[in-house]
Amino acid sequence: MEKRITDLYRNELDYWDNDLFVIKETNRIPEQLINAMLDMELLIFCRQGRATFYLDEHQINLSPGQCVLCPDFIPINNLMVSTDLRLCIMGFSWHLIEEVPALVKQAWSASSFIMHEPVFTPNETERKRIEQYCVLLMHHVENPDSRFRKEVIHLLFQTFVFELINMTYGQKNSIIQDTSNENVSQSTLLTRQFFETLAQGEGTIRSVAQVAKTMNITPKYLSHVISMESGHPPIYHINQYTVRAIERQLRYSDLTIKEIAMRMGFPSLAFFGKFVKSHLGVSPRAYRMKKIHLFD
């Protein structure tokens, strides 16, 4: 169920526009963000206390110093927080990422790891760097009279996302390259490769066989590994990437529906329409017409 952020909720925001909002500090995750399908990704930093909630079927345990990325298509639910909780919350649209082509490529690539492990635990050096970005960002947030306030805030945030992706790759590589870690099995490595392949495909992959061929394994073995590791068959994840890419094209691009269908590799406009309706509940045209902005 999609929700709007009400005018009353704006009082809790330190900054907002159609592509970005910032809550510098809060002791809760606002109820408007719970069980809501939004058109923004959420980046939540925990400065103090603890929070536990679910993203889809994955339990998230957030501790001081950690941050979590909540995708726009997966609602937060079953939230529990400690009384001393202090969070910084940022929401951003895919359009903000698309303004920097190089960032789009890196975001797609990193999303494979983030979707599998959405909680990021920075080391001490990385935490200091994150704080430096936050201080600089908040400086401009707190200066509404700045002539280029929006542009500077957007550029700072985009640079910040580059830094976070870079940190994420460091965490990812340290896990994968630690061959002495008995928890990193062949199945785990294949699962990471599977999600990386989906990310590189940017939503254009259609079948298990297509991924299996790229990974040089059989579709049957791939299905077994992914089902065991993730709890879902590979076609479920393939469709999730496809749906997410379609949503972004319908929301933010000026392409016609026919052009989107062709770009996404669908054999016909009719097949594309059937796929969208089965996953989003409405036709592509209806979905594009009803798209919402958080602060309309």
Side-chain angles (χ1 to χ4, degrees):
M1 176 180 176
E2 289 185 329
K3 291 185 179 181
R4 294 178 183 269
I5 301 301
T6 65
D7 289 338
L8 178 63
Y9 177 56
R10 290 192 187 189
N11 295 329
E12 299 186 54
L13 304 176
D14 295 289
Y15 175 83
W16 71 86
D17 59 49
N18 281 336
D19 293 310
L20 179 68
F21 76 79
V22 178
I23 304 175
K24 291 191 301 182
E25 185 170 298
T26 180
N27 60 1
R28 65 192 182 96
I29 297 179
E31 62 182 25
Q32 289 89 344
L33 303 181
I34 307 299
N35 295 318
M37 297 288 284
L38 303 171
D39 62 354
M40 285 192 173
E41 317 269 347
L42 296 180
L43 191 57
I44 303 174
F45 297 88
C46 182
R47 288 177 168 163
Q48 181 178 302
R50 298 181 183 277
T52 299
F53 54 87
Y54 279 84
L55 291 177
D56 198 6
E57 299 175 356
H58 301 287
Q59 182 174 332
I60 304 298
N61 298 306
L62 203 57
S63 301
Q66 293 183 318
C67 59
V68 60
L69 178 67
C70 306
D72 52 2
F73 62 91
I74 301 179
I76 296 172
N77 56 71
N78 297 328
L79 173 67
M80 294 184 292
V81 301
S82 64
T83 56
D84 61 340
L85 186 68
R86 287 176 56 212
L87 302 174
C88 173
I89 303 176
M90 301 181 191
F92 62 98
S93 73
W94 186 249
H95 181 263
L96 190 60
I97 303 300
E98 287 185 323
E99 289 179 353
V100 185
L103 185 55
V104 175
K105 181 178 179 181
Q106 295 302 322
W108 268 109
S109 182
S111 65
S112 60
F113 181 71
I114 293 170
M115 286 183 69
H116 199 58
E117 298 186 29
V119 177
F120 171 61
T121 305
N123 59 37
E124 188 61 31
T125 300
E126 291 167 339
R127 285 183 65 176
K128 289 180 180 179
R129 198 181 314 158
I130 289 173
E131 285 297 328
Q132 289 171 344
Y133 271 100
C134 287
V135 168
L136 189 56
L137 190 62
M138 295 313 165
H139 169 75
H140 292 279
V141 164
E142 294 168 356
N143 286 276
D145 297 328
S146 174
R147 176 178 295 182
F148 302 110
R149 183 187 186 218
K150 178 179 177 180
E151 291 79 5
V152 172
I153 288 174
H154 279 199
L155 287 170
L156 279 172
F157 183 80
Q158 289 161 342
T159 306
F160 182 40
V161 172
F162 266 120
E163 283 280 14
L164 288 176
I165 291 174
N166 186 50
M167 294 176 191
T168 300
Y169 274 122
Q171 180 171 300
K172 169 185 172 182
N173 291 337
S174 67
I175 293 173
I176 291 179
Q177 291 174 3
D178 184 8
T179 55
S180 64
N181 186 343
E182 61 182 10
N183 294 321
V184 182
S185 64
Q186 182 66 22
S187 295
T188 299
L189 295 177
L190 284 174
T191 299
R192 296 192 192 285
Q193 186 183 354
F194 169 74
F195 282 110
E196 288 174 350
T197 302
L198 293 188
Q200 291 167 6
E202 298 185 359
T204 61
I205 292 173
R206 290 287 161 274
S207 69
V208 178
Q210 187 177 351
V211 187
K213 183 177 180 180
T214 301
M215 296 175 62
N216 294 316
I217 58 176
T218 66
K220 183 177 180 179
Y221 182 59
L222 178 61
S223 295
H224 171 73
V225 169
I226 299 304
S227 296
M228 289 292 292
E229 287 285 319
S230 72
H232 293 287
I235 193 62
Y236 167 85
H237 299 290
I238 290 170
N239 287 338
Q240 287 293 311
Y241 270 82
T242 300
V243 169
R244 194 176 191 190
I246 290 171
E247 284 185 300
R248 286 170 173 159
Q249 291 288 346
L250 291 173
R251 283 174 172 168
Y252 304 120
S253 80
D254 295 324
L255 297 175
T256 66
I257 292 173
K258 183 177 181 180
E259 288 171 334
I260 294 173
M262 292 177 62
R263 174 172 288 192
M264 297 301 299
F266 283 86
S268 70
L269 189 59
F271 189 79
F272 176 71
K274 185 177 180 181
F275 179 89
V276 171
K277 190 166 186 178
S278 67
H279 289 277
L280 297 178
V282 293
S283 69
R285 186 177 301 278
Y287 185 85
R288 172 168 270 180
M289 292 295 292
K290 76 167 189 174
K291 73 174 184 176
I292 64 170
H293 289 290
L294 289 176
F295 309 112
D296 284 347

